[in-house]
Amino acid sequence: MSSSSYRFSFGPWNISEGSDPFGVDVRPVFPHESKFALYRPLGFEGVQFHDDDVVPGMDDLSPSQIAANAEEVRGMLHNQGLTPEFVAPRLWFAQETTDGAYTSNCASDRAYAWDRTKKCIDIARAINSKAIVLWLAREGSYIRESKDARLAYQRILDTINAMLDYDKEIEIWIEPKPNEPTDQAYVPTIGHAVALSFASKDHSRVKGLIESAHALLAGLDPSDEMAFALAHDKLASVHLNDQNGLKYDQDKNFGGANLRAAFNQVRVLEEAGFGSRGEFVGLDVKAIRTQRGCPVTDHLRNSRELFLHLVDKARSFDKTLLQKLRDERDYEALELYTLKHLMGVR
Ligand code: XUL
Ligand code: MN
């Protein structure tokens, strides 16, 4: 696969106005529909969605209104030559998801979550996507005794099975994250996601999406997380970005905090042939608040460019020397070679 044949994706939320928990927007709003025209010129062809990115205000709309809105977006994507990669139910914003969605202690809130999940699947199918991403944002706890964790795990698995039954063609891609907004999430790592996959009624349709920052927040190495999923043929997509230590979810530019860790993610993906079955390289990167302009897209362009440079670095990594140094167990020499290779010095 040539480096130019990698397909890239991002979600409309990655072009943002810069608000954070401490301050309001710092850039003018850029209309959602206009974002589609930016993708191709930036080198991206896949669009990632939340259900209400496709159909804003969906909770207040009838099924036929939802279908009509989704149809309109399908047309817009088609006109721009874009592919919808996945749709994710936004199960963390509504009043009904205050205590979680599938694991809420309130039966009517759990019913809301299931209803919203079915609508999300319908929206995905209406725009021609068969992938549903589950970022289980509020499935976890702040107060450990507040939920029966064993029951919560059963409820998550029951929902996955119900989704597989609801639509026999969809795939479910679980995006693990260890914390934020919860203190402790129930599905913090790809190991948890893969276990849920194999416990489900059709594991071939339950896979994972690994975000670099989320793995780092769990204190894990993203490249090893990816390797684990790849070893079990469970890596459906990635959210490449970066994270500077254990703090809030930063969604920094790919390679921006740790270039070597970024290199190893690219190396692992390359070695496994990720992308050769049409998988997208997704970038979940956030524009920094200080960036001026509207729309802001440099963070996307730069992260993609960095990825492609690292593909070159992974390919020019001397595999014969690598094997020799592994055989000799001269890992000191291997580390120096790796760092000099990344710096472009001999
Ligand atoms: C949350 C996160 C989300 C998901 C999609 O941290 O990464 O953007 O990727 O809902
Ligand atoms: Mn993400």
Side-chain angles (χ1 to χ4, degrees), residues 13 50 86 88 92 133 135 175 177 211 214 239 249 251 284:
W13 65 88
H50 296 117
F86 66 70
W92 54 92
V133 161
W135 170 46
E175 180 179 351
K177 182 177 180 182
E211 172 163 328
H214 296 180
H239 268 174
D249 184 8
D251 296 341
D284 199 0

Side-chain angles (χ1 to χ4, degrees), residues 83-105:
T83 304
E85 185 191 2
F86 66 70
V87 183
R90 194 189 296 278
L91 291 169
W92 54 92
F93 222 81
Q95 278 291 332
E96 293 89 337
T97 56
T98 305
D99 188 37
Y102 312 136
T103 68
S104 168
N105 281 331

Side-chain angles (χ1 to χ4, degrees), residues 135 175 177 179-180 211-214 217 241-243 245-252 284 286:
W135 170 46
E175 180 179 351
K177 182 177 180 182
N179 59 278
E180 200 200 42
E211 172 163 328
S212 323
H214 296 180
L217 284 169
N241 57 19
D242 215 340
Q243 171 75 25
L246 300 181
K247 49 186 84 163
Y248 65 96
D249 184 8
Q250 295 187 299
D251 296 341
K252 287 167 82 77
D284 199 0
K286 191 171 188 156

